[in-house]
Amino acid sequence: MMDPETFKFFERGGEFYLVAYVAEPKAELLRELPPREVLNSDHILLVGPARTMEIDRRLIPGVVSLREQEAAGEFRQALPRDHGAELRTLGHPILGVRIPRATIREANDEDTRALRAHLREKGKLAYEGAVAVLLIADQDHVRLNPFRFWAEMFDERVILGLSREEMARLAGKRLRSRARGWMRRLEFTDASGVPYTLDYGLPGPEPEAVRCLPEGARADSLEWLRQVREGYNISRMIAAVPPGGGSSLQGGVEVRGLGEL
Protein backbone atom coordinates (compact mmCIF):
# COMPACT_ATOMS: atom_id res chain seq x y z
CA MET A 1 0.00 0.00 0.00
CA MET A 2 1.28 3.45 -0.87
CA ASP A 3 2.38 5.68 2.01
CA PRO A 4 -0.64 7.83 3.08
CA GLU A 5 1.59 10.91 2.94
CA THR A 6 1.97 10.53 -0.82
CA PHE A 7 -1.72 10.75 -1.78
CA LYS A 8 -4.74 12.94 -1.06
CA PHE A 9 -8.47 12.20 -1.39
CA PHE A 10 -10.91 15.10 -1.47
CA GLU A 11 -14.20 16.39 -2.90
CA ARG A 12 -14.51 19.42 -5.13
CA GLY A 13 -17.52 20.59 -7.11
CA GLY A 14 -19.50 17.45 -6.32
CA GLU A 15 -16.80 15.08 -7.62
CA PHE A 16 -14.17 13.05 -5.78
CA TYR A 17 -10.47 13.26 -6.60
CA LEU A 18 -7.66 10.90 -5.64
CA VAL A 19 -4.29 12.52 -6.28
CA ALA A 20 -1.08 10.53 -5.73
CA TYR A 21 2.43 11.96 -5.94
CA VAL A 22 4.73 9.37 -7.52
CA ALA A 23 8.22 9.13 -8.99
CA GLU A 24 6.89 7.89 -12.33
CA PRO A 25 3.15 7.80 -13.22
CA LYS A 26 2.08 4.37 -14.43
CA ALA A 27 -1.20 2.48 -14.30
CA GLU A 28 0.29 -0.37 -12.21
CA LEU A 29 0.43 1.99 -9.22
CA LEU A 30 -3.38 1.89 -9.03
CA ARG A 31 -3.00 -1.36 -7.07
CA GLU A 32 -1.00 0.44 -4.36
CA LEU A 33 -3.74 2.97 -3.61
CA PRO A 34 -6.50 2.32 -1.02
CA PRO A 35 -9.40 0.39 -2.63
CA ARG A 36 -12.20 2.47 -1.05
CA GLU A 37 -10.81 5.71 -2.46
CA VAL A 38 -10.01 4.10 -5.82
CA LEU A 39 -13.54 2.71 -6.21
CA ASN A 40 -15.26 5.98 -5.28
CA SER A 41 -13.10 8.51 -7.14
CA ASP A 42 -14.41 10.30 -10.18
CA HIS A 43 -10.85 11.26 -11.08
CA ILE A 44 -7.59 9.50 -10.19
CA LEU A 45 -4.46 11.50 -10.96
CA LEU A 46 -0.89 10.23 -10.70
CA VAL A 47 1.39 13.26 -10.45
CA GLY A 48 5.06 12.83 -11.27
CA PRO A 49 7.90 15.35 -11.52
CA ALA A 50 7.55 15.66 -15.30
CA ARG A 51 3.98 14.62 -16.16
CA THR A 52 0.54 13.80 -14.78
CA MET A 53 -1.52 10.74 -15.74
CA GLU A 54 -5.29 10.42 -15.25
CA ILE A 55 -6.27 6.78 -14.77
CA ASP A 56 -9.01 5.43 -17.03
CA ARG A 57 -11.86 4.34 -14.75
CA ARG A 58 -12.37 1.25 -16.91
CA LEU A 59 -9.26 -0.16 -15.22
CA ILE A 60 -10.81 -0.02 -11.74
CA PRO A 61 -12.88 -3.27 -11.84
CA GLY A 62 -9.64 -5.17 -12.41
CA VAL A 63 -8.20 -3.68 -9.22
CA VAL A 64 -11.24 -3.49 -6.90
CA SER A 65 -13.51 -6.44 -7.69
CA LEU A 66 -16.67 -6.26 -5.56
CA ARG A 67 -18.55 -9.39 -6.63
CA GLU A 68 -21.47 -6.98 -6.49
CA GLN A 69 -24.27 -9.23 -7.78
CA GLU A 70 -23.22 -12.08 -5.50
CA ALA A 71 -22.98 -9.73 -2.50
CA ALA A 72 -26.41 -8.21 -3.21
CA GLY A 73 -27.94 -11.70 -3.35
CA GLU A 74 -26.38 -12.71 -0.03
CA PHE A 75 -27.53 -9.53 1.68
CA ARG A 76 -31.04 -9.91 0.27
CA GLN A 77 -31.33 -13.32 1.91
CA ALA A 78 -29.64 -12.43 5.19
CA LEU A 79 -30.90 -8.97 6.10
CA PRO A 80 -34.26 -8.13 7.68
CA ARG A 81 -36.38 -6.64 4.91
CA ASP A 82 -37.45 -3.77 7.13
CA HIS A 83 -34.31 -1.58 6.85
CA GLY A 84 -31.75 -4.12 8.00
CA ALA A 85 -28.06 -3.23 7.67
CA GLU A 86 -24.86 -5.26 7.99
CA LEU A 87 -21.17 -4.91 7.17
CA ARG A 88 -19.65 -7.99 5.55
CA THR A 89 -16.26 -8.73 4.03
CA LEU A 90 -16.82 -10.26 0.60
CA GLY A 91 -13.41 -9.74 -0.91
CA HIS A 92 -13.70 -6.15 0.39
CA PRO A 93 -15.81 -4.74 3.26
CA ILE A 94 -19.30 -3.94 1.91
CA LEU A 95 -22.25 -2.43 3.77
CA GLY A 96 -25.58 -3.95 2.76
CA VAL A 97 -28.73 -1.92 3.47
CA ARG A 98 -32.19 -3.42 2.89
CA ILE A 99 -35.38 -1.53 2.12
CA PRO A 100 -38.92 -3.04 2.10
CA ARG A 101 -39.63 -2.16 -1.54
CA ALA A 102 -40.04 -4.19 -4.70
CA THR A 103 -37.58 -2.00 -6.62
CA ILE A 104 -35.09 0.76 -5.81
CA ARG A 105 -37.27 3.26 -7.72
CA GLU A 106 -39.90 2.93 -4.97
CA ALA A 107 -37.52 4.13 -2.23
CA ASN A 108 -38.79 7.28 -0.51
CA ASP A 109 -38.17 9.69 2.37
CA GLU A 110 -39.69 7.24 4.83
CA ASP A 111 -36.90 4.77 3.98
CA THR A 112 -34.27 7.47 4.45
CA ARG A 113 -35.61 8.37 7.89
CA ALA A 114 -35.85 4.72 8.96
CA LEU A 115 -32.32 3.94 7.80
CA ARG A 116 -30.94 7.04 9.49
CA ALA A 117 -32.56 6.06 12.80
CA HIS A 118 -31.35 2.45 12.54
CA LEU A 119 -27.75 3.35 11.69
CA ARG A 120 -27.52 6.07 14.32
CA GLU A 121 -28.76 3.65 16.97
CA LYS A 122 -25.72 1.40 16.48
CA GLY A 123 -23.34 4.21 15.62
CA LYS A 124 -21.14 4.90 12.65
CA LEU A 125 -18.20 2.87 13.97
CA ALA A 126 -20.22 -0.33 13.60
CA TYR A 127 -20.33 0.10 9.83
CA GLU A 128 -17.26 2.17 8.93
CA GLY A 129 -14.63 0.94 6.52
CA ALA A 130 -16.98 -0.18 3.73
CA VAL A 131 -15.62 0.35 0.24
CA ALA A 132 -19.20 0.48 -1.03
CA VAL A 133 -22.82 0.60 0.16
CA LEU A 134 -25.39 -1.63 -1.54
CA LEU A 135 -28.97 -0.40 -1.23
CA ILE A 136 -31.06 -3.53 -1.83
CA ALA A 137 -34.71 -3.96 -2.75
CA ASP A 138 -36.61 -7.19 -3.56
CA GLN A 139 -35.81 -7.18 -7.28
CA ASP A 140 -32.77 -4.97 -7.72
CA HIS A 141 -30.07 -2.95 -5.97
CA VAL A 142 -27.85 0.09 -6.46
CA ARG A 143 -24.29 0.76 -5.35
CA LEU A 144 -23.79 3.99 -3.39
CA ASN A 145 -20.69 6.04 -2.63
CA PRO A 146 -20.05 5.45 1.12
CA PHE A 147 -18.77 8.99 1.68
CA ARG A 148 -21.98 10.53 0.35
CA PHE A 149 -24.06 7.90 2.16
CA TRP A 150 -22.52 8.72 5.56
CA ALA A 151 -22.88 12.44 4.89
CA GLU A 152 -26.63 11.96 4.43
CA MET A 153 -27.10 9.50 7.31
CA PHE A 154 -25.09 11.47 9.87
CA ASP A 155 -25.49 15.04 8.56
CA GLU A 156 -21.75 15.43 8.00
CA ARG A 157 -19.61 17.12 5.41
CA VAL A 158 -18.94 14.81 2.50
CA ILE A 159 -15.16 14.90 2.87
CA LEU A 160 -12.64 17.00 4.75
CA GLY A 161 -9.26 18.11 3.53
CA LEU A 162 -7.49 20.06 0.84
CA SER A 163 -5.49 18.82 -2.09
CA ARG A 164 -1.84 19.75 -2.08
CA GLU A 165 -2.47 22.05 -5.06
CA GLU A 166 -5.17 23.88 -3.11
CA MET A 167 -2.86 24.22 -0.13
CA ALA A 168 -0.11 25.62 -2.36
CA ARG A 169 -2.49 28.18 -3.86
CA LEU A 170 -3.59 29.32 -0.40
CA ALA A 171 0.02 29.49 0.78
CA GLY A 172 0.93 31.48 -2.31
CA LYS A 173 -1.83 34.03 -1.75
CA ARG A 174 -0.69 34.62 1.82
CA LEU A 175 2.98 34.86 0.91
CA ARG A 176 2.40 37.30 -1.95
CA SER A 177 1.10 39.85 0.52
CA ARG A 178 4.58 40.07 2.06
CA ALA A 179 6.80 38.89 -0.81
CA ARG A 180 9.97 40.91 -1.36
CA GLY A 181 9.86 41.51 -5.10
CA TRP A 182 8.97 38.14 -6.61
CA MET A 183 8.41 34.53 -5.71
CA ARG A 184 8.73 31.29 -7.65
CA ARG A 185 8.31 27.55 -7.48
CA LEU A 186 11.63 25.88 -6.67
CA GLU A 187 12.57 22.67 -8.46
CA PHE A 188 15.94 20.97 -8.06
CA THR A 189 17.63 17.58 -7.86
CA ASP A 190 19.81 16.11 -5.14
CA ALA A 191 23.23 14.56 -5.64
CA SER A 192 21.71 11.26 -6.76
CA GLY A 193 19.52 12.95 -9.39
CA VAL A 194 16.19 12.59 -7.57
CA PRO A 195 13.93 15.59 -8.34
CA TYR A 196 12.30 17.63 -5.53
CA THR A 197 9.94 20.57 -5.44
CA LEU A 198 9.31 23.33 -2.93
CA ASP A 199 5.95 24.95 -3.51
CA TYR A 200 7.17 28.53 -3.15
CA GLY A 201 10.42 30.38 -2.58
CA LEU A 202 10.99 34.00 -1.62
CA PRO A 203 14.43 35.13 -2.84
CA GLY A 204 16.57 37.83 -1.32
CA PRO A 205 19.44 38.15 1.15
CA GLU A 206 17.53 35.83 3.53
CA PRO A 207 15.63 33.42 1.23
CA GLU A 208 12.53 31.64 2.48
CA ALA A 209 10.76 28.53 1.18
CA VAL A 210 7.43 26.77 1.75
CA ARG A 211 6.53 23.11 1.35
CA CYS A 212 2.85 22.08 1.71
CA LEU A 213 2.34 18.83 3.65
CA PRO A 214 -0.77 16.75 4.36
CA GLU A 215 -2.12 16.25 7.88
CA GLY A 216 -0.06 13.84 9.93
CA ALA A 217 3.13 14.24 7.88
CA ARG A 218 5.87 12.00 9.19
CA ALA A 219 8.95 13.22 11.00
CA ASP A 220 11.26 12.17 8.15
CA SER A 221 9.48 14.68 5.87
CA LEU A 222 10.59 17.43 8.23
CA GLU A 223 14.09 15.93 8.36
CA TRP A 224 14.27 16.16 4.57
CA LEU A 225 13.20 19.81 4.73
CA ARG A 226 15.85 20.48 7.36
CA GLN A 227 18.51 19.04 5.05
CA VAL A 228 17.24 21.15 2.15
CA ARG A 229 17.30 24.29 4.31
CA GLU A 230 20.90 23.69 5.32
CA GLY A 231 22.09 22.49 1.92
CA TYR A 232 20.64 25.44 0.02
CA ASN A 233 21.26 28.11 2.68
CA ILE A 234 17.55 28.87 3.11
CA SER A 235 17.18 31.09 6.14
CA ARG A 236 13.55 30.19 6.85
CA MET A 237 11.88 26.92 5.88
CA ILE A 238 8.13 26.59 6.48
CA ALA A 239 6.15 23.34 6.35
CA ALA A 240 2.52 24.40 5.73
CA VAL A 241 -0.19 22.02 6.97
CA PRO A 242 -4.02 22.08 6.65
CA PRO A 243 -5.98 24.62 8.71
CA GLY A 244 -5.91 23.98 12.44
CA GLY A 245 -2.56 22.21 12.31
CA GLY A 246 -0.99 24.55 14.85
CA SER A 247 2.58 25.81 14.80
CA SER A 248 5.89 24.49 16.09
CA LEU A 249 9.60 24.50 15.30
CA GLN A 250 11.26 21.15 14.57
CA GLY A 251 14.88 20.88 13.48
CA GLY A 252 14.92 24.42 12.15
CA VAL A 253 11.71 23.87 10.15
CA GLU A 254 8.63 25.90 11.11
CA VAL A 255 5.38 23.90 10.99
CA ARG A 256 2.49 26.29 10.45
CA GLY A 257 -1.17 26.19 9.56
CA LEU A 258 -2.08 28.02 6.38
CA GLY A 259 -3.73 30.80 8.35
CA GLU A 260 -0.49 31.41 10.27
CA LEU A 261 1.77 32.00 7.25
Side-chain angles (χ1 to χ4, degrees):
M1 185 70 69
M2 194 174 290
D3 187 331
E5 185 181 335
T6 62
F7 62 85
K8 188 68 176 176
F9 180 68
F10 59 96
E11 186 271 344
R12 181 197 294 158
E15 294 191 318
F16 287 90
Y17 290 77
L18 178 57
V19 180
Y21 303 96
V22 298
E24 175 58 33
K26 49 188 178 180
E28 291 81 1
L29 293 175
L30 192 62
R31 298 185 181 277
E32 298 184 24
L33 291 166
R36 181 174 60 167
E37 282 74 2
V38 167
L39 185 66
N40 294 289
S41 292
D42 299 294
H43 304 279
I44 301 175
L45 303 173
L46 303 180
V47 181
R51 67 189 182 97
T52 297
M53 171 190 289
E54 180 161 6
I55 297 293
D56 189 332
R57 286 191 53 80
R58 288 176 294 182
L59 297 175
I60 292 176
V63 176
V64 186
S65 179
L66 281 187
R67 297 161 49 196
E68 186 175 320
Q69 292 294 337
E70 178 184 346
E74 289 191 19
F75 280 127
R76 186 174 287 113
Q77 296 299 317
L79 292 176
R81 187 171 181 266
D82 189 15
H83 305 106
E86 183 180 342
L87 182 67
R88 286 190 173 191
T89 299
L90 302 167
H92 295 283
I94 301 173
L95 174 61
V97 180
R98 190 73 160 88
I99 58 172
R101 309 295 171 194
T103 68
I104 293 297
R105 290 192 301 272
E106 297 176 11
N108 55 37
D109 291 342
E110 178 185 341
D111 295 309
T112 300
R113 288 191 294 270
L115 285 172
R116 185 180 288 122
H118 178 87
L119 293 169
R120 288 183 176 184
E121 182 180 356
K122 283 197 173 182
K124 186 177 177 181
L125 288 177
Y127 304 107
E128 259 189 334
V131 302
V133 176
L134 299 184
L135 182 64
I136 301 161
D138 296 343
Q139 300 172 18
D140 58 6
H141 75 277
V142 65
R143 176 162 61 86
L144 304 176
N145 180 309
F147 299 99
R148 291 194 176 100
F149 181 76
W150 290 128
E152 183 171 0
M153 292 296 106
F154 289 87
D155 297 325
E156 298 175 347
R157 289 180 59 182
V158 172
I159 193 71
L160 299 175
L162 298 171
S163 69
R164 187 174 153 203
E165 287 88 347
E166 290 172 314
M167 289 175 62
R169 281 197 295 271
L170 288 173
K173 288 179 181 178
R174 296 190 182 282
L175 289 172
R176 285 189 188 95
S177 64
R178 61 182 179 85
R180 299 183 297 273
W182 56 275
M183 60 188 296
R184 63 189 174 92
R185 185 177 176 90
L186 300 181
E187 297 179 349
F188 53 92
T189 58
D190 65 14
S192 62
V194 176
Y196 293 104
T197 300
L198 294 174
D199 292 295
Y200 287 101
L202 300 179
E206 296 182 354
E208 301 180 16
V210 174
R211 170 76 169 183
C212 295
L213 298 176
E215 260 183 306
R218 300 177 310 170
D220 55 1
S221 297
L222 299 177
E223 173 62 19
W224 175 78
L225 290 178
R226 183 190 65 78
Q227 294 174 8
V228 170
R229 183 181 69 84
E230 295 176 354
Y232 289 85
N233 296 315
I234 296 172
S235 65
R236 188 183 187 209
M237 174 68 76
I238 302 172
V241 297
S247 61
S248 63
L249 185 65
Q250 302 183 37
V253 178
E254 295 181 49
V255 182
R256 291 185 169 270
L258 292 177
E260 299 172 312
L261 286 177

